[in-house]
Amino acid sequence: MAKFIFVTGGVASSLGKGIIAASLSKLLQARGFKVTNQKLDPYINVDPGTLNPYEHGECYVTEDGQETDLDLGHYERFLNIRTHRENNITTGRIYQNVIEKERRGDYLGHTVQIIPHITDEIKLNIQSLDNGQYDFIITEIGGTVGDIESLPFVEALRQMKWEMPERVLNIHLTYVPYLAAAQELKTKPTQHSVKALQQAGVQPDVLVLRTEHEISASMKAKVGLFCNVGAEAVVQSIDASSIYQVPLNMQSEGLDRIVLRKLGYDLNEVPEANMEAWKQFLQKRQNAKKEVHIALVGKYVQLHDAYMSIRESLSHAATYNDCKLCLDEVLSDELTPENVSKRLGQYAGLVICPGFGTRGIEGKFAAIRYARENGIPCLGICLGMQCMVIEFARNVLGIPDANSIEMDSETAHNVVDMMEEQKRVSQMGHTMRLGAYDCHLQEGSRVHDIYKKEYIRERHRHRYEFNNLYRDIFERNGMHCVGINEQANLVEIVELKNHPWFVGVQFHPEYSSTVLAPHPLFLDFVKTVLH
Ligand code: GLN
């Protein structure tokens, strides 16, 4: 029987609940426990697949094809495990399930209500993870306590705490602001946030105070006293230079010890957390001096979270190549054939980002042409790969109106076409080609050398594909289709032979790079960029 740990947040959003949850999981995992993380999102969308990255940051895709919150990416990167559909639940999905049950007649004769029907459905979705595989299920409730939207989730937490007091624990993360003029840290917002939680019937067991300055023992004791939490269960989470530092900070604050003790473990019988490999990774990162300058060419560049997994994958690869990643985002809308060498001249490598729709597409072509003609290592991901194909058709094969059907439904030269199965799709939600599929790698290709495997499995999220009618002419002119999904005869990877490193992938390698298992494609890309 698993223990359930809930992470709630107060005072402000974006305090890093996901990172705190992932850090605690890491520490428990490093003590030998089996742990999984779950994210509850209070919005009505059934999944974030239909959300713009500006609204929500990156949409992360699990191997089983669920479009999820980007926190699942953190969980996978920290824990080096895979998450699944049940690791991310939204209000929309809860309501959808309940309404389907109501239509089926499951509640026949009863009025369907938020309590107990919605809250029961929430509890069911949390407890379904308790399938014998895990010692701890760490569930993060999105939003901040007091929001109307997250109330049913907090109520589910209250009920679970009441029903299984010895198996359920709540960690509440708040913010302690520093007033520069008064040179003082202020705990009042934390007190109010805990009051809001208590009003919902939940007494937090542990408080994590996010802060920019050290919080003294006496301040921790004061917060503890006001909030009915022992001083020993109040810890600080001070701003860190890297998210990967946070597990070690939480370890020195004793978060895992506090949690275990509160859940009835005898600490003498639990092994200490072995964080050696993690520390080595961080040391490598801190010692790296040499810089590697890479540009991320995309259209969601003003928002840091939009390409989260690509950034993290590149940063893992840089660390394992003993260098420091200097990553700049370049807005593709602003790139033109005229300014591209000036705008991209200082970068030793380019990543062409995934995406949807026409905005910024011409700038991506300009960047790709510049990389192709000047021997600059270039990795194209999903739409980035499709853009590589279109650029090659236009400028090498001499088909000036080559395009993707996505960008021009009338184009006579649809080198990127809609997948056959997509032509029957009418709804937008959860209908792309999603999740992990096999890909066969051609012997003698660069990617075969990189992966050192005949078959790989990578995650997808797309509706369009390389048009096989053009395969011969591409191959004859030097763009090779070296990765194929054999079931669908779908081109997964293209690469150029006469180029230091020019690879386009239809899949998303960024979803599967982790701290302790960096992704081979990013490793090789960064290695080439460095030399
Ligand atoms: N818009 C493209 C497609 O749907 C690429 C998607 C992506 O980059 N994730 O095929």
Side-chain angles (χ1 to χ4, degrees):
M1 285 214 292
K3 303 271 201 280
F4 298 93
I5 299 171
F6 287 85
V7 180
T8 53
V11 180
S13 56
S14 305
L15 294 181
K17 286 197 295 289
I19 300 296
I20 293 294
S23 298
L24 175 61
S25 299
K26 184 74 222 169
L27 293 173
L28 294 172
Q29 186 193 52
R31 285 176 180 266
F33 291 109
K34 297 265 183 299
V35 191
T36 191
N37 282 75
Q38 184 183 45
K39 173 87 190 276
L40 305 179
D41 278 308
Y43 50 74
I44 314 286
N45 305 61
V46 173
D47 61 46
T50 51
L51 284 170
N52 186 315
Y54 282 130
E55 294 261 326
H56 188 261
E58 165 186 285
C59 177
Y60 187 78
V61 179
T62 57
E63 281 189 345
D64 62 355
Q66 188 67 26
E67 293 168 288
T68 71
D69 186 76
L70 57 75
D71 273 331
L72 272 75
H74 291 311
Y75 306 155
E76 291 205 9
R77 289 187 283 272
F78 274 60
L79 297 180
N80 200 23
I81 58 165
R82 295 301 178 231
T83 55
H84 308 280
R85 180 180 148 84
E86 52 278 15
N87 294 84
N88 188 197
I89 311 286
T90 69
T91 293
R93 186 133 124 234
I94 295 291
Y95 273 79
Q96 190 181 46
N97 291 349
V98 168
I99 291 169
E100 271 170 20
K101 287 180 182 174
E102 186 276 333
R103 292 289 83 185
R104 218 164 47 212
D106 289 11
Y107 314 114
L108 222 50
H110 295 281
T111 309
V112 180
Q113 295 181 295
I114 292 183
I115 303 168
H117 302 98
I118 294 295
T119 45
D120 278 356
E121 185 65 29
I122 294 171
K123 288 195 288 183
L124 191 73
N125 276 273
I126 296 166
Q127 291 175 25
S128 72
L129 280 171
D130 186 15
N131 52 15
Q133 279 189 62
Y134 304 112
D135 301 304
F136 293 97
I137 293 158
I138 302 189
T139 299
E140 173 194 348
I141 300 183
T144 41
V145 162
D147 297 347
I148 291 176
E149 294 194 308
S150 58
L151 268 177
F153 291 118
V154 177
E155 169 61 13
L157 155 61
R158 186 196 68 76
Q159 293 178 16
M160 281 179 66
K161 244 174 163 296
W162 171 249
E163 288 161 354
M164 312 181 275
E166 68 299 339
R167 282 178 66 199
V168 180
L169 180 125
N170 171 231
I171 298 175
H172 190 55
L173 172 67
T174 72
Y175 179 54
V176 177
Y178 179 76
L179 295 189
Q183 295 188 344
E184 255 187 292
L185 286 162
K186 290 292 178 190
T187 64
K188 191 72 83 188
T190 295
Q191 296 172 39
H192 282 294
S193 168
V194 171
K195 285 251 153 49
L197 195 55
Q198 287 166 337
Q199 249 164 26
V202 175
Q203 169 60 47
D205 301 288
V206 182
L207 292 179
V208 179
L209 310 179
R210 176 76 191 265
T211 176
E212 284 144 45
H213 298 269
E214 288 288 334
I215 294 178
S216 66
S218 64
M219 184 165 278
K220 286 180 181 173
K222 175 181 151 192
V223 175
L225 185 65
F226 275 113
C227 300
N228 293 349
V229 176
E232 78 293 346
V234 181
V235 306
Q236 72 171 10
S237 170
I238 198 157
D239 284 2
S241 54
S242 153
I243 53 171
Y244 301 123
Q245 181 62 43
V246 179
L248 299 180
N249 290 357
M250 288 303 106
Q251 187 177 31
S252 56
E253 286 286 309
L255 181 63
D256 53 334
R257 262 183 290 124
I258 298 165
V259 163
L260 287 170
R261 217 182 302 115
K262 293 222 168 215
L263 284 169
Y265 287 84
D266 178 349
L267 286 178
N268 296 319
E269 287 173 10
V270 178
E272 282 296 327
N274 179 357
M275 294 292 284
E276 267 328 296
W278 194 269
K279 282 185 187 154
Q280 273 167 25
F281 169 83
L282 271 174
Q283 236 150 39
K284 242 173 144 28
R285 212 169 162 90
Q286 279 146 9
N287 293 341
K289 297 264 172 336
K290 194 168 173 183
E291 294 184 345
V292 59
H293 290 264
I294 294 177
L296 206 56
V297 179
K299 68 172 182 176
Y300 297 115
V301 295
Q302 293 95 334
L303 181 80
H304 195 77
D305 284 358
Y307 303 116
M308 178 73 86
S309 293
I310 298 178
R311 296 170 154 283
E312 293 308 318
S313 301
L314 286 167
S315 91
H316 303 157
T319 300
Y320 283 93
N321 276 296
D322 295 306
C323 65
K324 197 167 151 285
L325 177 66
C326 301
L327 188 66
D328 284 338
E329 298 184 327
V330 176
L331 184 63
S332 53
D333 312 33
E334 291 174 354
L335 291 177
T336 63
E338 293 71 41
N339 71 15
V340 67
S341 63
K342 191 155 166 272
R343 297 290 303 273
L344 297 178
Q346 71 263 44
Y347 303 106
L350 305 184
V351 176
I352 314 297
C353 290
F356 297 85
T358 49
R359 180 168 70 79
I361 202 89
E362 295 295 329
K364 284 185 177 169
F365 298 144
I368 292 165
R369 179 172 198 169
Y370 171 75
R372 184 176 56 74
E373 293 182 342
N374 293 285
I376 295 159
C378 186
L379 167 63
I381 301 177
C382 205
L383 180 63
M385 173 263 201
Q386 296 172 358
C387 288
M388 283 174 157
V389 168
I390 298 165
E391 189 281 325
F392 194 81
R394 289 186 182 181
N395 301 320
V396 178
L397 305 182
I399 317 175
D401 61 343
N403 215 333
S404 162
I405 285 283
E406 179 180 7
M407 311 309 159
D408 175 7
S409 56
E410 305 286 299
T411 179
H413 292 101
N414 51 341
V415 290
V416 176
D417 200 11
M418 185 178 262
M419 277 183 282
E420 203 46 44
E421 65 200 43
Q422 287 293 324
K423 295 182 181 156
R424 293 183 293 275
V425 163
S426 57
Q427 296 202 44
M428 294 299 279
H430 197 67
T431 52
M432 280 189 251
R433 179 172 179 253
L434 292 165
Y437 288 93
D438 289 335
C439 169
H440 177 264
L441 303 182
Q442 194 179 92
E443 219 171 301
S445 63
R446 181 187 307 277
V447 283
H448 188 271
D449 270 5
I450 294 173
Y451 281 92
K452 299 188 175 38
K453 278 185 195 165
E454 199 184 341
Y455 283 94
I456 56 167
R457 230 176 129 69
E458 295 277 9
R459 300 179 216 185
H460 297 75
R461 183 171 186 248
H462 65 121
R463 292 189 203 280
Y464 299 88
E465 64 175 339
F466 181 98
N467 186 342
N468 279 318
L469 294 175
Y470 289 88
R471 205 148 135 193
D472 272 353
I473 177 171
F474 273 84
E475 294 272 358
R476 272 187 274 117
N477 287 277
M479 181 171 268
H480 299 277
C481 302
V482 292
I484 304 291
N485 172 275
E486 293 169 332
Q487 283 75 32
N489 193 24
L490 183 141
V491 174
E492 296 272 13
I493 310 175
V494 294
E495 64 179 43
L496 292 182
K497 279 254 150 57
N498 300 322
H499 190 283
W501 210 102
F502 191 96
V503 177
V505 292
Q506 183 58 77
F507 51 78
H508 293 266
E510 72 272 22
Y511 293 145
S512 46
S513 180
T514 73
V515 168
L516 298 183
H519 194 288
L521 207 54
F522 287 99
L523 283 174
D524 197 72
F525 172 66
V526 171
K527 187 169 145 201
T528 311
V529 174
L530 271 172
H531 295 115

